[in-house]
Amino acid sequence: KAGVTQTPRYLIKTRGQQVTLSCSPISGHRSVSWYQQTPGQGLQFLFEYFSETQRNKGNFPGRFSGRQFSNSRSEMNVSTLELGDSALYLCASSGKNSPLHFGNGTRLTVT
Amino acid sequence: GENVEQHPSTLSVQEGDSAVIKCTYSDSASNYFPWYKQELGKRPQLIIDIRSNVGEKKDQRIAVTLNKTAKHFSLHITETQPEDSAVYFCAACKAGGTSYGKLTFGQGTILTVHP
């Protein structure tokens, strides 16, 4: 069974730009979550989607948004990028009685 | 919301020794407690988890204990090996059905096992 797939692996953007990250969950998993990982703040929950609906949201500004498609694939978008948005963005999926498994992440660098 | 504290932040042991990492949580509604191992440049990988209806769980050299009354849980690694060197994260959430997604993580423990 293929794991969680995230694209792209690396991304360099300039302040003020926007970015879209993509995630394909493990086959059969309908829940997708996004996390931000930084050296200073650790792993922080962004949001969770299930059946195309946002089920939970973390404490991030409205510049961070996401969506889920009918095939469970998910995207997250960050608008008006700031230097502090530089981080590893991790997507994870879970299913019925199947806990969270992470993808390899997208390393975003904002210059 | 949930708050998870993890200690120690760094742990250095000799190969063959045991390692213990401790976490406390604040929300008594939390019922699911996973542990993740993250090697440098890699994704966090689930190594063991425990639900609130169980006090202890073991998988080969790894065990987790949970004290609901005190709101703390611990990871125990016995007979440590150099390949156990990594960052370990504890986490907590109120899980149910398909919802394991909103995890609150501890700050991580850098474990170094010296040969």
Side-chain angles (χ1 to χ4, degrees), chain B residues 1-4 25-33 50-53 66 68 71 73 91-95 102 104:
Chain B
E2 176 66 276
N3 183 50
V4 177
Y25 63 99
S26 61
D27 189 350
S28 55
S30 289
N31 59 4
Y32 176 67
F33 308 92
I50 192 167
R51 286 165 173 77
S52 59
N53 58 349
L66 172 65
K68 283 190 297 184
K71 295 204 196 81
F73 55 113
C93 80
K94 185 175 184 307
K102 189 182 178 183
T104 300

Side-chain angles (χ1 to χ4, degrees), chain A residues 34-73:
Chain A
W34 289 88
Y35 289 80
Q36 182 195 64
Q37 186 174 28
T38 59
Q41 299 298 317
L43 278 155
Q44 292 190 290
F45 171 77
L46 281 156
F47 25 66
E48 179 192 13
Y49 287 87
F50 178 79
S51 291
E52 302 177 67
T53 301
Q54 188 178 86
R55 185 154 63 179
N56 283 300
K57 189 177 191 303
N59 295 324
F60 279 82
R63 300 184 297 107
F64 291 80
S65 63
R67 58 178 177 168
Q68 187 181 32
F69 302 96
S70 58
N71 61 358
S72 294
R73 193 177 68 84

